[in-house]
Amino acid sequence: MKATWKDVVLAESTETILVEGNHYFPVNDVNKEFLINSETHTICPWKGIASYYSIKIEGEILKDAAWYYPKPNMKAKNIANHIAFWKDVSVHP
């Protein structure tokens, strides 16, 4: 799977984990140079507290377009050290 925005590859992996229709990419397969820490957090009842990244490419920022679970609940432990994308990010084979 590949995650792209503005024709830039944000992540590419053959080992994503599919959860609720979202592909979670191993952190080592993500081009972290495009990620900016965000102060946004949300809560999922079964996965835990999510943290977010915004994406910055060529001066343009896509706010909170990636998320991850720094300390996922036991039921979601398989997505530890993984990042998922949404908003205008295209995730495709």
Side-chain angles (χ1 to χ4, degrees), residues 27-87:
V27 71
N28 291 335
D29 293 338
V30 176
N31 294 321
K32 293 179 274 312
E33 69 212 60
F34 301 111
L35 303 182
I36 302 169
N37 285 323
S38 171
E39 296 297 318
T40 301
H41 300 281
T42 57
I43 298 173
C44 172
W46 72 274
K47 290 184 291 243
I49 298 173
S51 294
Y52 287 76
Y53 291 114
S54 293
I55 299 168
K56 184 176 182 179
I57 297 175
E58 298 174 356
E60 191 172 345
I61 295 176
L62 186 59
K63 185 169 172 44
D64 298 337
W67 76 95
Y68 64 101
Y69 291 87
K71 295 180 183 176
N73 292 337
M74 189 59 93
K75 289 182 180 180
K77 66 181 179 178
N78 63 325
I79 59 171
N81 299 310
H82 285 69
I83 299 173
F85 298 90
W86 69 317
K87 294 196 174 181

Side-chain angles (χ1 to χ4, degrees), residues 1-14 16 22-26 29-32 34-35 55 57 62 65-67 83-93:
M1 294 299 291
K2 188 184 290 188
T4 59
W5 182 54
K6 298 180 76 56
D7 295 323
V8 173
V9 176
L10 303 172
E12 188 168 11
S13 180
T14 59
T16 62
N22 297 300
H23 284 272
Y24 285 77
F25 290 79
D29 293 338
V30 176
N31 294 321
K32 293 179 274 312
F34 301 111
L35 303 182
I55 299 168
I57 297 175
L62 186 59
W67 76 95
I83 299 173
F85 298 90
W86 69 317
K87 294 196 174 181
D88 291 336
V89 175
S90 174
V91 178
H92 50 88

